[in-house]
Amino acid sequence: MTVKNQNETATGPLAEGQRWSAARKREVVLRMLRGESVDALSRELNIEIYRLEEWREKALTGIDESLKKRQGDPVQAEL
C-alpha cells in the first residue's frame, strides 16, 4: 500500500468499505471541470453518473458562495 502525504490524493476506485473523502471528491470534480468525460470517470471509479454530477453541482455552489463573501465589509469596520 502506498502512503500519500496530506496534499496527495488518489482518484482510483475505492476498496471495499472505504468512503470518499472530500479531497478525493475534489480531485474527481476538478477532472470533470478540466473536461474529462463523466461517463469515463463513472466507469473508471465505479460510481454512478448522477452522484458525480451531484458532486460537481455542490462544488460549483460552494465556489459561488465563497465568491459572494466580502472581504473587509465596511459596515463591520464601522462597528
Side-chain angles (χ1 to χ4, degrees):
M1 180 178 205
T2 305
V3 177
K4 300 215 175 266
N5 71 30
Q6 190 174 8
N7 295 326
E8 285 184 89
T9 58
T11 57
L14 296 179
E16 186 69 30
Q18 275 189 309
R19 295 182 54 143
W20 282 89
S21 68
R24 287 176 60 99
K25 289 178 183 179
R26 180 183 61 236
E27 291 303 316
V28 172
V29 169
L30 288 172
R31 289 174 65 182
M32 287 188 286
L33 293 176
R34 289 183 191 120
E36 287 193 48
S37 164
V38 176
D39 290 332
L41 283 170
S42 174
R43 284 190 300 275
E44 174 188 334
L45 303 171
N46 195 28
I47 191 159
E48 302 89 350
I49 291 173
Y50 81 88
R51 192 172 311 268
L52 295 173
E53 291 173 344
E54 182 180 87
W55 293 352
R56 180 178 52 208
E57 289 305 312
K58 285 182 178 182
L60 292 174
T61 299
I63 290 170
D64 289 344
E65 291 301 316
S66 69
L67 293 174
K68 289 179 185 177
K69 293 180 183 176
R70 291 185 178 183
Q71 294 278 341
D73 188 1
V75 174
Q76 289 293 336
E78 278 188 41
L79 295 176

